[in-house]
Amino acid sequence: MKHLKLLALFLAIVPFISSCSSDDDSPEIINEEEVITDVTLTFTNSTEGSVTYTYTDPQYRDDSYVAPVISLTSGETYEVETNFYNNSDPEDPELITEEVEEESDDHFLTYGFSDVDIEFTRTDGANSTDSDGVQIGLSTEWVAGTTGTGSVLVSLVHQPTEKITDPEEGAVVGGETDAAVTFDLEIL
Amino acid sequence: MKTLLTVIFMIAVSVSLQAQDCKNTLTGKIIDYHNGDPLIYATIQIIGRDVEVYSDFDGNFNIKNLCNGKIELKITHPDCQDLIYPVLIEGDTYENIKLEHHLEELGEVALSGNSTIENSKTGQEEVLKAETLERYSSATLGDALKEISGVSSLNTGNSVVKPVIQGLHSSRILMMNHGVRMEDQEWGAEHAPNIDLNSAGNITVVKGASALQYGGDAIGGAIIIDPAKIPVKDTLYGKTILNGATNGRGGSITTSITKSYSNGWFANLQGTFKKFGDFEAPDYVLSNTGTEEKDFSLNFGINKFSSGFNVYYSYYNSEIGILRSSHIGNVSDLIRAINSEEPAVVNNFTYTINAPKQKVEHHLARVNYYKRFEGLGKWNVQYDYQLNNRLEYDIRTGDDKDTPSVDLELQTHTLTTNFKFDARNEYKLNVGLNGSYQTNYPNPLTGVRRLIPDYDQYKLGAFAIGEYKLTENLLAEAGVRYDFTHIDAQKYYLKSRWEERNYSENYSDIIVEEFATQYLTNPVFSYHNVSSTAGLSYTFNQFKLNGNYALANRAPNPSELFADGLHHSAAVIELGDLSFESETSHKVSLDFSKNQGDFTFGVSPFYNNISNFLLIEPSGVETTIRGAFPVWDYKQTDARMFGVDIDWSYQINHNFSYRGKFAYVNGKDTQNNRDLINMPPANLSNTISFQQEKWHQLKLSITGNYVAQQKNYPDNNFYYDVLEDGVYTSTLVDVSTPPEDYFLLGFEANSTFTPFSHGSMQVGLRVNNLLNTSYRDYLNRLRYYSDNLGRNIMLQIKFNY
């Protein structure tokens, strides 16, 4: 009987202790921290000035979103800056490109052109060149060739086991894709 | 005959009695406390005097010629604990003396809490004993359970091993660990049971839902882990097992020490440490597959026949590396992985565990009290508390590098009580109630949207199970159980997902608050489920035939209701649905066995019909900024499964023996006439053993294990446009075709030595995958990325002291 009393006491106390810690507040909202919601390509040309094209993740598009179509002029040369943003929390937009630059050893961009004639070179400066001297592809130069329509697939790869820069458009072995977006592209 | 014996007794009594002045007579009856039955041949001695009598067939005895005053009797009986019983003699005296019966059972009764009988008398049930479990000391629970025919495993690599019973797993399997229902987020396919195998004395597997006392939702079956029996006597003993393995270049140590007293008190302390580095396939290192595990448990209490209590606490801590190459980005990465012979990342061997990895902690505490009521049965009450914390680390960048992507804390309180009426031999009845409260807290600091939302869950269950001995050979069993489940969740949905799921039509009323891109919702669901079982068991000569029907209902789990997110290891988006109802299973099983003689066998066919079966299958491709991902939707359909498990063994002669087992299961989605995904392929295992007691109990055995290719699988393959040399090519993504069949050879040698004056030492050598065969397994989630383990040579030394 003595055991029973001890047990009853224990049973009475334990749920009490644990129930003190619970609260009924709403859980706080989580806005994804390292998700990439937007990829932008900014084209700068001495005659046409600067144009930015933005691809937004389907989960974060609003009704005004129109799929971007890059328009280039045949024979022109463009300096292209690629940027990545996290706009999952509209109050606090975040430029992911800085992180990519800081961890240039872990990142690499590839550009896959389909049905368009572009002469492509990597022009990265020290900020976006990794410790092995590989230009990771945030800054590039595009020379538009013959007229036509096609597309470009821009990929950001995290921790590839091998970064291949021949051809300049780039390829990887291993790693996982952090971003892979297709822009339609026309050369007029 | 009876009178003759009585006469002999009386003669014995009168001869042994000394002539005394006093003329009082003590008459009495020795009875079994347990059921009131008279105890025959109990010895009754008067302490300090040379007087000894025996009880007769009715338990009666008498001692003549006693003086008034106090005497002390010592009563002994082969089946019982000795009893010192003081008696005050005042004239002729009568005493009823109750003896605590069934000493052997006592250890089991007190420790396993509510199980003296088999868990299901008419269902399919198999037991793994300590000696088998010890062989797997350095491996996982799931590996050991595969010894049982019909039990396979769903793996994520080789360290996350989930048991599969006759094709069913996860929430459909109930695990009782030391009398406590495990709540360790078992819903996830890559969540292995958080149990240290070395804390188990024996493990029972009930195939199917017939063990209703534990729960009504065990559509797949129940795994019951009981501690080793502790004898009720003054003793101190221990056991230490050391393991070393070449594959993984690691090992384990486990120790257990037990102290017990003849007055019922006992204490047991047990601990395990395991450490492995990267495991290796025949041709390459499986980078980042190391593991580390630290466990201990403490058990103490008092273990008397009439009452007792028990306090048990166990702690489990494991860190498991997940194959680096399995962490991929999108469909293109998946195609590359599938088409590549070797994993993309193969580094040199290391003990370091990096992301992706899992870190899991599980605390389990239980307090149990029982009291036996004379001639009626046993009452049991138990409170238990569990705290499970699961951290999953993905490969992340920047400031979040060391932050887990999943951080879930699951707490469960359970109160259980049952009364087992077991005083009568013809029938037994077990009735019980249990209630539990569970709360899940996903830590928002992960910075990743919650995989499983915040929720509170209340459960209430009531059951009654009875068995009745119709004749000496025929036993009937029946049970019924009611379960109430209430879940109250708080979940954020992305607005895009909310629309895509069409929730705005039926669930707009559960939106609590609107944010820029998300809704906060409050889904509340209640489920009422009734489960039942009925069966017969017939024994004749050396044969036994069991037949059982079980109706089980399972409420959808939080993952099935709420999942919405990306799973990196499979590169899939998993989507649950709020509209799911409970699953209902009707299962009929037979078990025909012969357990005596040189030739033994067991044949166990079953048929399981499950309506509202919840399964997860690909439903299309979703494009995100990371590229395309296959979407796996949970859906509800009707299914049927049938199969058979067969075991057999033959003692060829004194030295050689042979045993084999075979299992087959076939599952179909009857609504869509499709094969069910992830059904274990047919498998056959044969073992030949040689035994020679004279040579330090040497035992050698060779096992051949054949696993067929699964031919019945749903085709979920799809095509995806891959950019190659400036051209998009439609490429087949083969996620469905099961790997080819394989055959593995194993070898084992064991011997026992007694180098010390006290205790013994056992040495065992084991080789898995002797031929270093390269193979992949259909039920391994990492089969797209790498081969399974190559040859593994393990040495085990066990000390008993």
Side-chain angles (χ1 to χ4, degrees):
Chain A
M1 210 52 205
K2 191 175 73 189
H3 306 140
L4 187 61
K5 275 181 192 159
L6 270 173
L7 187 85
L9 189 71
F10 190 87
L11 290 183
I13 289 169
V14 171
F16 181 72
I17 293 169
S18 46
S19 64
C20 294
S21 58
S22 72
D23 53 65
D24 294 327
D25 295 340
S26 297
E28 65 181 87
I29 190 163
I30 297 177
N31 292 299
E32 296 269 336
E33 269 167 26
E34 68 220 275
V35 78
I36 294 168
T37 61
D38 296 87
V39 179
T40 66
L41 295 179
T42 305
F43 291 79
T44 311
N45 172 277
S46 49
T47 51
E48 297 167 22
S50 187
V51 187
T52 298
Y53 300 93
T54 305
Y55 177 96
T56 303
D57 186 292
Q59 290 196 305
Y60 294 93
R61 285 174 195 171
D62 57 25
D63 296 339
S64 62
Y65 180 79
V66 183
V69 181
I70 299 167
S71 179
L72 306 177
T73 311
S74 174
E76 290 286 340
T77 300
Y78 300 86
E79 299 304 323
V80 183
E81 292 295 326
T82 306
N83 279 295
F84 302 93
Y85 294 90
N86 176 4
N87 292 331
S88 66
D89 182 4
E91 317 272 289
D92 180 27
E94 197 186 337
L95 181 63
I96 304 275
T97 321
E98 288 169 1
E99 251 175 45
V100 175
E101 283 175 348
E102 276 166 30
E103 297 177 0
S104 55
D105 282 357
D106 278 347
H107 289 100
F108 191 67
L109 280 85
T110 66
Y111 295 80
F113 295 97
S114 173
D115 296 333
V116 282
D117 177 18
I118 297 280
E119 203 188 306
F120 176 94
T121 33
R122 289 171 187 258
T123 57
D124 294 276
N127 270 354
S128 50
T129 300
D130 73 12
S131 54
D132 293 329
V134 178
Q135 295 173 305
I136 65 167
L138 286 171
S139 306
T140 52
E141 186 181 272
W142 303 20
V143 180
T146 52
T147 55
T149 54
S151 65
V152 57
L153 170 65
V154 182
S155 302
L156 173 65
V157 184
H158 182 232
Q159 288 187 351
T161 46
E162 207 179 321
K163 299 175 177 180
I164 300 162
T165 50
D166 181 22
E168 291 254 330
E169 284 84 350
V172 290
V173 176
E176 67 268 343
T177 310
D178 278 347
V181 299
T182 305
F183 290 87
D184 284 334
L185 175 57
E186 55 181 24
I187 300 175
L188 303 170
Chain B
M1 188 67 192
K2 192 172 163 185
T3 25
L4 182 64
L5 278 171
T6 317
V7 168
I8 293 168
F9 276 135
M10 297 317 292
I11 292 166
V13 167
S14 45
V15 167
S16 67
L17 285 177
Q18 311 268 312
Q20 285 189 30
D21 298 339
C22 310
K23 295 286 175 202
N24 299 322
T25 300
L26 169 66
T27 47
K29 192 171 183 174
I30 309 288
I31 55 172
D32 183 344
Y33 186 103
H34 178 59
N35 53 13
D37 282 353
L39 287 172
I40 312 162
Y41 289 125
T43 313
I44 301 108
Q45 293 166 287
I46 301 177
I47 292 173
R49 279 185 238 170
D50 191 15
V51 176
E52 186 173 285
V53 297
Y54 303 92
S55 60
D56 66 10
F57 279 84
D58 299 314
N60 293 324
F61 69 94
N62 62 59
I63 306 174
K64 287 185 177 131
N65 304 327
L66 294 169
C67 319
N68 280 339
K70 247 187 190 170
I71 58 166
E72 273 192 319
L73 300 178
K74 182 180 180 185
I75 298 138
T76 49
H77 187 270
D79 293 342
C80 303
Q81 213 173 336
D82 294 358
L83 180 73
I84 309 293
Y85 192 88
V87 183
L88 184 65
I89 306 290
E90 283 178 310
D92 287 345
T93 310
Y94 183 83
E95 284 289 334
N96 250 337
I97 300 172
K98 294 162 201 157
L99 273 199
E100 296 182 351
H101 194 25
H102 312 309
L103 185 62
E104 283 305 301
E105 270 179 26
L106 202 54
E108 188 185 355
V109 173
L111 292 176
S112 60
N114 38 16
S115 151
T116 46
I117 54 164
E118 293 162 67
N119 298 286
S120 164
K121 286 236 163 151
T122 62
Q124 298 174 344
E125 181 169 317
E126 280 193 64
V127 180
L128 282 185
K129 296 223 166 75
E131 55 190 287
T132 310
L133 298 174
E134 283 168 358
R135 287 168 48 215
Y136 289 91
S137 174
S138 65
T140 66
L141 177 69
D143 291 316
L145 288 169
K146 283 202 266 187
E147 283 278 319
I148 293 175
S149 63
V151 180
S152 44
S153 70
L154 177 65
N155 287 34
T156 302
N158 63 294
S159 300
V160 177
V161 186
K162 287 188 75 96
V164 178
I165 302 176
Q166 291 175 339
L168 299 171
H169 58 84
S170 300
S171 291
R172 296 187 184 95
I173 291 183
L174 185 161
M175 289 221 182
M176 295 299 295
N177 182 9
H178 291 66
V180 178
R181 181 174 183 161
M182 287 294 285
E183 293 289 349
D184 55 352
Q185 313 189 27
E186 68 288 343
W187 53 67
E190 65 289 340
H191 301 181
N194 301 157
I195 297 171
D196 174 18
L197 173 69
N198 295 296
S199 68
N202 66 75
I203 300 181
T204 309
V205 172
V206 181
K207 300 169 182 171
S210 37
L212 278 185
Q213 60 270 47
Y214 305 121
D217 53 354
I219 289 174
I223 295 170
I224 297 135
I225 295 146
D226 286 322
K229 287 179 199 173
I230 296 175
V232 182
K233 60 179 185 187
D234 286 312
T235 179
L236 172 69
Y237 58 92
K239 178 173 86 175
T240 298
I241 305 175
L242 295 164
N243 286 286
T246 56
N247 203 335
R249 303 183 207 177
S252 71
I253 175 168
T254 181
T255 290
S256 152
I257 292 174
T258 308
K259 173 82 189 123
S260 66
Y261 299 89
S262 58
N263 63 7
W265 280 94
F266 67 91
N268 169 270
L269 194 66
Q270 178 263 335
T272 302
F273 178 74
K274 288 181 195 174
K275 176 83 185 168
F276 288 95
D278 290 337
F279 288 91
E280 284 163 65
D283 300 322
Y284 42 80
V285 174
L286 299 166
S287 282
N288 202 46
T289 53
T291 64
E292 187 175 314
E293 191 179 312
K294 292 165 277 197
D295 317 304
F296 76 90
S297 68
L298 171 73
N299 191 5
F300 69 90
I302 190 160
N303 185 12
K304 281 189 180 166
F305 182 76
S306 55
S307 70
F309 79 94
N310 163 230
V311 175
Y312 177 75
Y313 169 77
S314 79
Y315 174 72
Y316 170 94
N317 178 321
S318 78
E319 183 171 1
I320 301 175
I322 305 293
L323 183 75
R324 175 61 184 86
S325 306
S326 70
H327 195 280
I328 58 170
N330 59 21
V331 172
S332 307
D333 296 348
L334 180 64
I335 292 170
R336 259 189 283 153
I338 291 175
N339 294 340
S340 145
E341 284 283 301
E342 286 199 0
V345 183
V346 178
N347 297 326
N348 290 332
F349 172 88
T350 174
Y351 286 100
T352 314
I353 304 170
N354 291 314
K357 66 178 176 185
Q358 305 182 353
K359 268 174 107 162
V360 187
E361 269 188 306
H362 191 86
H363 301 263
L364 183 155
R366 109 174 180 161
V367 201
N368 177 284
Y369 173 82
Y370 66 86
K371 183 167 172 60
R372 199 175 279 276
F373 293 87
E374 190 191 335
L376 199 60
K378 189 179 147 189
W379 174 60
N380 196 62
V381 59
Q382 176 175 314
Y383 164 76
D384 56 78
Y385 169 71
Q386 295 176 78
L387 171 62
N388 186 275
N389 184 220
R390 164 171 286 271
L391 305 176
E392 290 182 10
Y393 294 82
D394 281 340
I395 292 161
R396 303 179 75 173
T397 54
D399 304 339
D400 297 320
K401 214 163 209 161
D402 301 315
T403 313
S405 308
V406 173
D407 181 349
L408 296 172
E409 192 183 86
L410 185 71
Q411 294 184 72
T412 312
H413 302 266
T414 309
L415 200 57
T416 315
T417 182
N418 74 309
F419 200 100
K420 196 183 284 168
F421 299 90
D422 60 358
R424 304 292 292 269
N425 286 326
E426 318 82 78
Y427 68 85
K428 290 187 167 70
L429 180 67
N430 187 359
V431 294
L433 280 173
N434 70 299
S436 73
Y437 166 69
Q438 181 172 84
T439 178
N440 184 51
Y441 173 69
N443 192 336
L445 294 179
T446 56
V448 176
R449 295 186 57 257
R450 300 164 177 90
L451 196 68
I452 302 289
D454 295 68
Y455 72 78
D456 289 327
Q457 181 176 270
Y458 302 86
K459 278 185 174 179
L460 207 61
F463 71 87
I465 311 165
E467 60 176 76
Y468 189 78
K469 228 182 205 173
L470 295 164
T471 70
E472 203 44 49
N473 298 332
L474 187 62
L475 181 131
E477 181 186 46
V480 61
R481 184 178 172 108
Y482 164 76
D483 283 289
F484 169 72
T485 307
H486 178 83
I487 183 162
D488 183 336
Q490 289 188 300
K491 174 163 172 67
Y492 283 96
Y493 279 96
L494 278 177
K495 286 181 178 173
S496 52
R497 178 72 65 214
W498 187 259
E499 297 305 325
E500 181 266 327
R501 294 270 96 186
N502 272 328
Y503 285 158
S504 45
E505 271 178 44
N506 296 320
Y507 297 100
S508 54
D509 55 323
I510 65 168
I511 296 176
V512 176
E513 205 174 337
E514 185 177 347
F515 296 87
T517 55
Q518 303 187 41
Y519 290 122
L520 171 62
T521 64
N522 179 213
V524 179
F525 299 109
S526 294
Y527 304 91
H528 299 270
N529 287 322
V530 175
S531 309
S532 63
T533 181
L536 287 173
S537 177
Y538 181 58
T539 23
F540 54 105
N541 302 329
Q542 298 173 328
F543 301 98
K544 186 172 170 182
L545 178 65
N546 281 1
N548 181 274
Y549 161 79
L551 161 71
N553 280 287
R554 181 180 72 88
N557 67 35
S559 171
E560 290 155 347
L561 290 171
F562 305 120
D564 98 79
L566 183 63
H567 249 251
H568 280 285
S569 65
V572 296
I573 292 172
E574 291 186 357
L575 297 178
D577 201 290
L578 295 176
S579 65
F580 288 145
E581 292 164 24
S582 291
E583 267 180 358
T584 305
S585 147
H586 299 268
K587 184 174 181 178
V588 181
S589 63
L590 287 176
D591 191 24
F592 181 52
S593 63
K594 173 179 176 290
N595 293 316
Q596 292 162 27
D598 285 341
F599 177 66
T600 68
F601 67 87
V603 183
S604 313
F606 67 93
Y607 183 91
N608 195 352
N609 192 79
I610 310 175
S611 49
N612 288 328
F613 185 69
L614 280 158
L615 63 90
I616 182 158
E617 268 202 305
S619 62
V621 170
E622 190 169 298
T623 305
T624 76
I625 204 150
R626 307 177 76 146
F629 289 92
V631 176
W632 287 55
D633 257 326
Y634 277 104
K635 61 182 188 186
Q636 209 148 30
T637 181
D638 294 332
R640 67 109 183 92
M641 301 169 74
F642 66 82
V644 63
D645 305 333
I646 308 173
D647 294 271
W648 61 93
S649 75
Y650 182 60
Q651 189 71 39
I652 301 162
N653 59 32
H654 185 68
N655 296 115
F656 285 94
S657 63
Y658 159 75
R659 90 192 137 83
K661 61 177 179 155
F662 169 81
Y664 172 78
V665 54
N666 182 304
K668 213 158 197 117
D669 170 349
T670 49
Q671 238 176 47
N672 304 299
N673 197 26
R674 267 161 71 87
D675 291 313
L676 288 181
I677 197 166
N678 283 347
M679 283 295 122
N683 58 80
L684 172 69
S685 164
N686 288 293
T687 303
I688 289 189
S689 302
F690 168 82
Q691 200 160 3
Q692 175 56 270
E693 288 88 358
K694 286 175 194 161
W695 304 341
H696 293 286
Q697 298 179 32
L698 179 71
K699 192 179 177 185
L700 303 172
S701 56
I702 287 184
T703 301
N705 193 13
Y706 174 75
V707 178
Q709 183 177 25
Q710 180 56 277
K711 302 279 188 193
N712 303 315
Y713 63 93
D715 184 354
N716 294 317
N717 292 343
F718 60 97
Y719 284 87
Y720 182 71
D721 287 339
V722 177
L723 182 64
E724 249 176 288
D725 302 326
V727 185
Y728 281 99
T729 327
S730 180
T731 309
L732 175 72
V733 188
D734 185 356
V735 290
S736 309
T737 313
E740 286 171 19
D741 59 345
Y742 61 86
F743 176 77
L744 300 179
L745 210 56
F747 171 77
E748 229 176 302
N750 282 294
S751 240
T752 305
F753 303 91
T754 45
F756 319 111
S757 58
H758 191 70
S760 67
M761 181 176 94
Q762 259 178 49
V763 178
L765 180 77
R766 229 176 118 198
V767 186
N768 283 354
N769 195 359
L770 191 67
L771 305 176
N772 210 19
T773 309
S774 292
Y775 71 101
R776 297 190 183 202
D777 191 273
Y778 181 48
L779 290 183
N780 191 332
R781 287 164 63 91
L782 302 190
R783 69 181 159 95
Y784 305 131
Y785 312 103
S786 73
D787 290 339
N788 276 40
L789 294 202
R791 183 185 298 124
N792 191 4
I793 305 168
M794 292 163 280
L795 184 70
Q796 182 178 81
I797 304 173
K798 180 185 146 193
F799 300 96
N800 279 312
Y801 45 88

